[in-house]
Amino acid sequence: MSEIQQASDSLAHIGPAVSIFGSARIRQDSPWYIQTQDIAGRLAAAGIAVIAGGGPGLMEAANKGAHEQGGTSIGLNISLPHEPTNNPYQTLSLPFEYFVSRKAAFFMHSIGYIAMPGGFGTLDELFEALTLIQTGKLPAAPIVLVGSSYWNGLIDWLREQLQTRALIGPNDLGLLEIEDDTDRIVERIIQFAGCVTQDAGSRESCILP
């Protein structure tokens, strides 16, 4: 509870923010790293804060992109055996001992979620966001999966196994968007942020394509 309270106090005045999820294991020379850095930099330049996990890999890329543009670069740091150090590209660094409070911090002020390729941690964060929006515990927000070659198989499985068995609603997969083009990803988030800012009571209408 103290970690959640600390995060709430620290993030209270950051303005519109986007959470970017992604693997800690992807190297700096990967096209995914370069794209993540580019996306985060463009969002930061547009005045949108970037929230990432604070570790290496694509978390570092997100923080680095925002930091180098002079934007708000937030790292939600947790010590793990394969992530012994935090990346140095954070304007606001929050330490966490527990995953549950760290995940809650991702969702406190985010007006959008971008999932880059990643492993169990990325999937955990992605499906947490998806579940909270599906159940109305979070307001409507874009959830953008970046990399069709990476994510298409998952969407096919969700459609074939969950949707056809009526284990999710007929429109629930519409909560997810798959996109490869950096320009469209950034434009999608910026347009949504602008719509929410102009009319905070109409997030559902803002989420429409």
Side-chain angles (χ1 to χ4, degrees):
M1 289 301 296
S2 64
E3 288 186 346
I4 293 174
Q5 185 61 56
Q6 179 188 11
S8 179
D9 293 343
S10 299
L11 301 177
H13 304 294
I14 62 171
V18 168
S19 287
I20 300 180
F21 309 131
S23 174
R25 307 183 187 214
I26 291 178
R27 296 163 55 94
Q28 293 182 352
D29 58 356
S30 165
W32 287 333
Y33 185 105
I34 296 167
Q35 186 178 25
T36 304
Q37 183 177 341
D38 189 18
I39 291 169
R42 295 197 203 183
L43 292 173
I48 298 173
V50 171
I51 305 174
L58 298 187
M59 293 179 285
E60 176 187 286
N63 285 136
K64 185 177 182 181
H67 188 273
E68 291 187 340
Q69 289 296 321
T72 301
S73 175
I74 300 162
L76 308 183
N77 302 285
I78 189 167
S79 179
L80 301 172
H82 61 282
E83 299 174 31
T85 59
N86 305 325
N87 73 68
Y89 304 106
Q90 304 173 37
T91 58
L92 176 58
S93 179
L94 298 177
F96 291 88
E97 181 69 25
Y98 302 102
F99 274 113
V100 63
S101 48
R102 180 174 180 256
K103 282 200 295 182
F106 275 116
F107 308 125
M108 286 178 179
H109 299 284
S110 292
I111 54 90
Y113 306 92
I114 296 174
M116 303 301 297
F120 288 158
T122 299
L123 292 174
D124 181 35
E125 291 154 353
L126 167 63
F127 279 100
E128 180 89 1
L130 183 60
T131 300
L132 291 173
I133 291 174
Q134 179 209 39
T135 57
K137 299 300 182 181
L138 282 178
I143 303 175
V144 183
L145 311 183
V146 181
S148 58
S149 63
Y150 187 84
W151 294 109
N152 275 341
L154 173 64
I155 300 303
D156 290 343
W157 181 82
L158 293 173
R159 183 178 295 110
E160 293 166 5
Q161 298 299 326
L162 276 65
Q163 194 172 61
T164 59
R165 300 171 193 268
L167 300 178
I168 58 175
N171 301 316
D172 283 347
L173 288 182
L175 298 173
L176 298 168
E177 309 170 35
I178 296 181
E179 186 55 74
D180 294 301
D181 184 83
T182 297
D183 290 340
R184 287 197 290 266
I185 295 163
V186 172
E187 181 181 7
R188 179 75 177 93
I189 298 297
I190 291 175
Q191 285 182 344
F192 182 79
C195 180
V196 170
T197 301
Q198 293 169 12
D199 190 353
S202 301
R203 278 212 182 189
E204 287 73 14
S205 62
C206 289
I207 202 68
L208 295 174

